[in-house]
Amino acid sequence: EAGVAQSPRYKIIEKRQSVAFWCNPISGHATLYWYQQILGQGPKLLIQFQNNGVVDDSQLPKDRFSAERLKGVDSTLKIQPAKLEDSAVYLCASSLARDYPYEQYFGPGTRLTVT
Amino acid sequence: AQKITQTQPGMFVQEKEAVTLDCTYDTSDQSYGLFWYKQPSSGEMIFLIYQGSYDEQNATEGRYSLNFQKARKSANLVISASQLGDSAMYFCAMRPPSNTGKLIFGQGTTLQVKP
């Protein structure tokens, strides 16, 4: 089966510009996660969707980050305006359900560089 | 608050030898899950192995085994018969008992397998 797809793979923008990332989860996966991975650190959860509803967005900087998952399938993550500290890899993951044994499958990530 | 600590930034191992990657965790919860993921240079996070806090036996998956010591709050990953393809970043993660499925990751350990 096809894995989690993400685009673009790389993006370079200047600070104060806006950017959007797209994620297409594995077909049938109800749960979708966006993680931020800063260089040298482990991923940190930004937001989690169950179908098209938000389950956890406690670590999402809501003054500049937004995310949506229309129709409970694809999702977009937006940053507006970007700051230098937003430079990171943004990973999307999906799972059939929230708990193990339904493991999370990760996409290849989008590497964002803010100059 | 839950926390995962990986104290080895980098490790080297000779091909065909075994290696242990350390992971300690901090939680006051009784029910939790522990995971190990592999992240090659391509960027995707690949699920390796899972251990539930109530599992009495250590988890094993092929060449991967998890040395679970609950009293010490450690969940070390053992890779037997290392292969060149095992060179990657390895992350330990914990799923707290909330039903969101959220993962909390450690800082990671870079493993290099020498021929």
Side-chain angles (χ1 to χ4, degrees):
Chain A
E1 68 181 1
V4 177
Q6 289 188 248
S7 68
R9 290 296 313 275
Y10 305 91
K11 190 74 177 178
I12 301 174
I13 61 172
E14 295 182 353
K15 59 183 179 183
R16 291 187 288 273
Q17 287 186 326
S18 63
V19 64
F21 313 128
W22 173 80
C23 172
N24 179 234
I26 293 173
S27 177
H29 281 197
T31 312
L32 186 146
Y33 309 80
W34 282 103
Y35 289 87
Q36 179 193 56
Q37 185 177 16
I38 293 172
L39 185 65
Q41 299 181 19
K44 180 186 80 173
L45 180 71
L46 291 176
I47 189 167
Q48 177 185 345
F49 293 93
Q50 182 70 19
N51 296 309
N52 60 351
V54 175
V55 173
D56 184 344
D57 63 356
S58 57
Q59 298 195 85
L60 186 73
K62 298 180 186 63
D63 57 334
R64 298 183 300 105
F65 285 65
S66 65
E68 61 181 9
R69 190 184 185 196
L70 299 176
K71 300 181 182 178
V73 183
D74 292 6
S75 177
T76 56
L77 176 70
K78 297 179 182 178
I79 308 175
Q80 182 180 10
K83 292 185 175 181
L84 296 177
E85 59 261 36
D86 298 331
S87 293
V89 175
Y90 292 83
L91 294 164
C92 179
S94 70
S95 63
L96 269 174
R98 298 175 194 171
D99 292 334
Y100 190 86
Y102 300 110
E103 66 196 69
Q104 296 181 27
Y105 293 85
F106 285 78
T110 296
R111 184 177 298 275
L112 173 67
T113 302
V114 182
T115 63
Chain B
Q2 294 94 357
K3 185 179 179 182
I4 294 283
T5 302
Q6 295 179 253
T7 57
Q8 305 155 313
M11 291 279 288
F12 288 92
V13 64
Q14 208 65 36
E15 192 178 10
K16 299 180 185 177
E17 291 185 350
V19 62
T20 298
L21 306 183
D22 295 342
C23 171
T24 59
Y25 59 92
D26 186 16
T27 182
S28 56
D29 299 312
Q30 296 301 309
S31 174
Y32 49 88
L34 296 160
F35 298 76
W36 277 92
Y37 280 84
K38 173 184 178 181
Q39 187 176 42
S41 56
S42 58
E44 291 187 48
M45 299 284 282
I46 302 167
F47 166 76
L48 296 178
I49 197 166
Y50 167 83
Q51 179 85 40
S53 59
Y54 292 118
D55 295 341
E56 294 185 353
Q57 302 232 347
N58 286 341
T60 60
E61 289 285 349
R63 294 187 298 111
Y64 305 108
S65 61
L66 199 151
N67 185 0
F68 181 47
Q69 298 187 43
K70 194 169 182 177
R72 294 186 176 185
K73 294 189 176 178
S74 75
N76 298 339
L77 176 71
V78 180
I79 305 175
S80 63
S82 297
Q83 302 172 357
L84 295 178
D86 294 335
S87 294
M89 192 82 162
Y90 288 81
F91 289 96
C92 181
M94 177 171 61
R95 187 202 69 218
S98 68
N99 66 350
T100 67
K102 163 184 176 178
L103 292 177
I104 299 166
F105 287 86
Q107 311 94 305
T109 296
T110 301
L111 177 67
Q112 291 193 33
V113 180
K114 292 182 172 181

